[in-house]
Amino acid sequence: MRALPIGPVMIDLEGHDLSALDKEKINHPNTGALILFARNYDNPEQIKALVKTIRAARKGDILVSVDQEGGRVQRFRSGFTRLPPAIRYAEKPELAETAGWLMAAEVLSVDVDFSFAPVLDVDCGISEIIGDRTFALEPEQAALLAAAFVKGMRLAGMAATGKHFPGHGAVAADSHLALPVDPRPLAEIRARDLLPFQALIEQGLEAIMPAHVVYTQVDDMPAGFSKIWLQYILRKELGFDGAIFSDDLSMEGAAGVGDFLDRAQLAQQAGCDMLLVCNNPSAAEHVLDKLPVTQNSDRERRLQAMRGRPKIDRANLLKSAKWQQAAAQILQLTETHA
């Protein structure tokens, strides 16, 4: 039997172990990836064993991911270096690359392929959900610091995902809880929010996650469901050829376009290569079963680029002088603002 390719749906788990149903879902032809949350994590040894079980449950390819930005968004904590929020690197720009390498090396050492990072949103001082997750308040500096962070990630062997295209920093609402609306003209968005994305795309950015935000001067659909944003502006205008991951289709910002199958199909039609259905097991099962099973060589190529390379031995990593120095520098920056 031919090994299953990477499917178009990313799912999650409820606990520290796999149930029989989890294994069934992981081996579904439409499954392509799994995201781990803090609820799945106890310690590095446990999460590495869980990832091994996940990979064994799939008769083919699967990607494993996590949100490990730092600051408020760091799912693996005990046993991992505590990372500061991205805004702190503006104070110590020389540590952005070090932090990117450290984050990526530690995540790869437990056999997780990638973290959804970096945040490329430029905060305008009104978005609590973005806030200190931004690298800087000016787009040029945000682009430079994010590029350094990505350089570090790549040195460790991890692909980068820029989020949340075309920019979530100018709306107050949290798209987890509501549908934010950004009324600014496209010219203003181009001149500010798109600059970090454009800069990183020119440097070979491997993946992008669009925002569940409606930009009313451009389209009446949220960006993650918008052919204008994803196919015309992102693909054609900006020349992006990497993977597009939807943001979680369980978020309230996605609810207005229909039920879960509608959301998945609309996101896919707009141009998303991977559809995230998290924190709602029944919805994930529904999408897996009802979404037509298709093969797409371009999607497969783009998603294969997200695989972590090379595998990193955790024991050797923690003994290395490079890790010890990097961990000490980043921990000092983190604790300065604790």
Side-chain angles (χ1 to χ4, degrees), residues 4 10 55 78 80 85 114 142 161 163 167 172 214 216 234 238 325:
L4 291 170
M10 176 177 280
R55 297 196 188 281
S78 175
F80 277 73
F114 64 94
T161 305
K163 58 187 187 183
V214 174
T216 52
L234 182 58
L238 298 180
Q325 181 178 17

Side-chain angles (χ1 to χ4, degrees), residues 253-264:
V257 304
D259 65 20
F260 279 93
L261 184 59
D262 291 334
R263 300 175 205 182

Side-chain angles (χ1 to χ4, degrees), residues 147-166:
F149 193 89
V150 168
K151 182 180 178 181
M153 291 173 64
R154 289 187 180 134
L155 286 172
M158 181 180 286
T161 305
K163 58 187 187 183
H164 307 82
F165 179 83

Side-chain angles (χ1 to χ4, degrees), residues 73-111:
V73 185
Q74 180 168 341
R75 309 308 185 201
F76 302 162
R77 298 202 177 192
S78 175
F80 277 73
T81 304
R82 194 74 179 90
L83 304 168
I87 195 69
R88 301 302 174 216
Y89 302 119
E91 303 166 19
K92 293 274 189 179
E94 67 277 10
L95 292 183
E97 181 181 325
T98 300
W101 175 85
L102 180 66
M103 180 279 290
E106 291 188 349
V107 168
L108 289 168
S109 77
V110 293
D111 199 23

